[in-house]
Amino acid sequence: MKNRKQPTWVLVILSLWISFGGVTSSLLRNNNDNDHDGIDTASFQRSDSITTKKSATNTVKVVLLAGQSNMVGAGSIDHLLQLIHNSTSSSTTTAENDYRQTLWNETTQDFVQSDRVYLRFQNGVDRAAAAGPLTVGKESGFAYPGRFGVEATLGLTLQESLRRYQNSRHNRDDNNHPPEDEIIYLIKTAWGGKSLAVDFRPPASGQGPYDDDDVKPSDYGTKYRQMVQEIRAGLDDLPNIIPHNYKNAPKGDDDDDNDKYEILGFVWFQGWNDMIDWRSVDEYDVNLVHLMGSVRQELDLPSLPVVVGELGNHGPQLPPGDAGRRVAALRLRQRLATLRHDQQATTRFVETARYAVVDIPDEEQYDGIHHYYGRAEPYFHIGRALADGLLQLLLPNREDVRNDTGQQSTVDEL
């Protein structure tokens, strides 16, 4: 792919404009040097639409996860075990033992295996999807071998927060009314080294301008189409993965009522492969808006909450030169897509650069910078932050929902 230099002053002005709340609808409607005529949301098309069950009693809460390798999961389990064993089993919540309290079972002396959060992940054509109770483990198949991803803390945070919310809402804190536990089902669709400009390109974006890079017309949108297929397969497979939920589910007027689920949101964590070329950087916000619209069309959920995780690998301090400008520009366009006047109520941009651990010696690195050096801390905290972003959309008036820093607000209990 070809590179070109982006004027730094453009990025600075846009950043300041956003920071002070001066983003106008016209700026957000079209922010590309390419020849775009804005974004026509009426043009979103869906391939073989997914039928979505609406909320009902005993519904499973489904969250869709998608992206490239950082969504696959590259956090070192060996490093995570170091963090856990370097902490204590004290019941007092501190930064030092948070890893242990969240992910470690003191009884079994192994990673927590949730009976309220489930995951399905297909990572490979020639093998069955990994599916079952959410856990962190080298043999789980939920991430790269020996690694874990953001799904671990994302799923646990969502389940606990929604459980507390439902308990408070229904006033079920006494023995006569047992607490109502939410069941969370994560469907993860992610592949390393894939771009939004080509691989995940949604139908509404049309054919891209990358034919000179040996990209064939049929290459556009291959992972988008596979993502939709995997979402459909995951929904069809739900009764096999969480059978106990349906055993006690009340019968309705039709047979499908025993297969109840509610899709809560779509979480997108991607950007590295688009960052390497100015052309894909320039159209990222348009493609991202089209992606959100196309997914909503596929699900027949026009107001589906969408959370976008920042490309935060380099941390707050960007590298010098053209590389740093491309990273800054892509981050800005990720944010712009969520700030459009027609997206603000249903999307949330989550900063992740604050969780990157940088400037570390080689012996403390478990992978390259493209995977946050493979360290456990970023994936642990980013998972929580993505969950908090979704909770802000689902429960916008709840003061106990964390903000995008991952810090708890002043209200600790519901």
Side-chain angles (χ1 to χ4, degrees), residues 81-153:
L81 284 169
Q82 289 180 31
L83 296 174
I84 288 172
H85 294 316
N86 287 341
S87 63
T88 70
S89 58
S90 167
S91 61
T92 303
T93 300
T94 66
E96 289 74 22
N97 65 18
D98 205 10
Y99 305 101
R100 189 180 192 109
Q101 288 192 333
T102 304
L103 297 177
W104 194 248
N105 186 319
E106 298 292 349
T107 301
T108 64
Q109 287 297 295
D110 201 350
F111 288 108
V112 167
Q113 178 171 293
S114 176
D115 62 353
R116 289 295 180 267
V117 186
Y118 294 79
L119 175 70
R120 184 185 189 277
F121 175 44
Q122 174 63 274
N123 185 26
V125 178
D126 300 326
R127 55 187 175 187
L134 179 67
T135 187
V136 175
K138 294 185 178 181
E139 306 302 325
S140 71
F142 292 157
Y144 288 125
R147 307 286 170 146
F148 76 102
V150 298
E151 70 282 338
T153 48

Side-chain angles (χ1 to χ4, degrees), residues 325-370:
R325 287 190 290 269
R326 280 185 277 111
V327 174
L330 190 124
R331 289 179 181 178
L332 181 60
R333 291 191 182 278
Q334 288 179 318
R335 188 187 294 268
L336 284 171
T338 68
L339 290 178
R340 281 172 46 96
H341 66 285
D342 57 349
Q343 299 290 335
Q344 291 184 25
T346 56
T347 61
R348 181 72 78 242
F349 174 80
V350 174
E351 297 177 0
T352 69
R354 67 187 65 192
Y355 305 116
V357 181
V358 296
D359 298 327
I360 51 178
D362 292 347
E363 61 269 20
E364 296 182 19
Q365 299 177 18
Y366 300 84
D367 205 329
I369 189 173
H370 61 300

Side-chain angles (χ1 to χ4, degrees), residues 174-232:
D174 58 87
N175 294 329
N176 295 324
H177 297 86
E180 176 180 305
D181 269 359
E182 297 287 359
I183 296 180
I184 305 294
Y185 178 39
L186 308 175
I187 301 177
K188 185 163 80 168
T189 58
W191 300 271
K194 305 304 178 185
S195 69
L196 177 59
V198 175
D199 307 285
F200 281 100
R201 195 175 188 89
S205 287
Q207 185 170 318
Y210 306 101
D211 297 349
D212 58 336
D213 296 323
D214 297 325
V215 177
K216 301 185 295 292
S218 60
D219 293 334
Y220 290 111
T222 55
K223 291 306 175 187
Y224 172 84
R225 294 187 290 274
Q226 190 174 351
M227 174 185 72
V228 172
Q229 292 171 0
E230 286 302 322
I231 291 172
R232 184 178 296 111

Side-chain angles (χ1 to χ4, degrees), residues 1-35:
M1 289 185 172
K2 300 176 181 177
N3 286 337
R4 66 170 176 79
K5 188 173 182 179
Q6 180 83 341
T8 305
W9 63 268
V10 173
L11 303 178
V12 173
I13 290 176
L14 285 175
S15 298
L16 291 174
W17 195 251
I18 290 175
S19 299
F20 289 99
V23 181
T24 64
S25 60
S26 61
L27 172 62
L28 294 176
R29 188 175 302 113
N30 184 4
N31 232 332
N32 275 280
D33 295 332
N34 300 329
D35 184 21

